[in-house]
Amino acid sequence: QLQLVESGGGLVQPGGSLRLSCAASTFSLDYYTIGWFRQAPGKEREGVSCINSSGGSTNYLDSVKGRFTISRDNAKNTVYLQMNSLKVEDTAVYYCAAGGSCRTMTFASWGQGTQVTVSS
């Protein structure tokens, strides 16, 4: 029921920027808390950022603070993850998720993911 689609990934050099989008067409994202996660090869999935339904509260993984910004545009039914000053260690598949909590970082619905590769 909660169908999410990520986009915006790609290949970028260290220090570059990307903006990921998480969009929904079958429901209104403004009703939901949205989390961003990533999974690098050989590593477990980790929470990257989270935003509550109003947009008034956000959380970030320590390693991305000051570089990544999560935001939402309810008119476009989209949540964004702006990623600046990208590092090689940011390389991963990035997923957005809905139907959960920023406190526990547990979610019921997931997108298919978008690949982010940071390499020179």
Side-chain angles (χ1 to χ4, degrees):
Q1 296 298 122
L2 302 181
Q3 186 173 358
L4 303 170
V5 179
E6 303 96 336
S7 63
L11 175 65
V12 65
Q13 293 183 331
S17 298
L18 287 172
R19 187 175 73 166
L20 305 184
S21 298
C22 175
S25 60
T26 60
F27 65 100
S28 296
L29 285 180
D30 59 329
Y31 291 106
Y32 294 94
T33 294
I34 302 295
W36 281 99
F37 295 77
R38 67 186 182 187
Q39 187 166 26
K43 297 183 179 180
E44 293 186 347
R45 185 182 64 199
E46 63 180 350
V48 176
S49 188
C50 194
I51 188 167
N52 68 2
S53 59
S54 70
S57 180
T58 59
N59 295 308
Y60 298 93
L61 184 68
D62 283 345
S63 62
V64 309
K65 287 181 179 178
R67 300 189 297 119
F68 291 10
T69 303
I70 190 170
S71 63
R72 63 195 310 153
D73 186 339
N74 291 336
K76 295 182 178 180
N77 207 29
T78 303
V79 173
Y80 302 99
L81 184 67
Q82 178 68 46
M83 307 187 298
N84 298 327
S85 302
L86 283 162
K87 303 176 180 179
V88 172
E89 53 263 43
D90 294 318
T91 296
V93 177
Y94 284 72
Y95 303 87
C96 65
S101 168
C102 291
R103 179 168 296 175
T104 63
M105 291 297 282
T106 56
F107 292 85
S109 300
W110 296 78
Q112 294 298 308
T114 185
Q115 176 72 49
V116 172
T117 302
V118 185
S119 177
S120 60

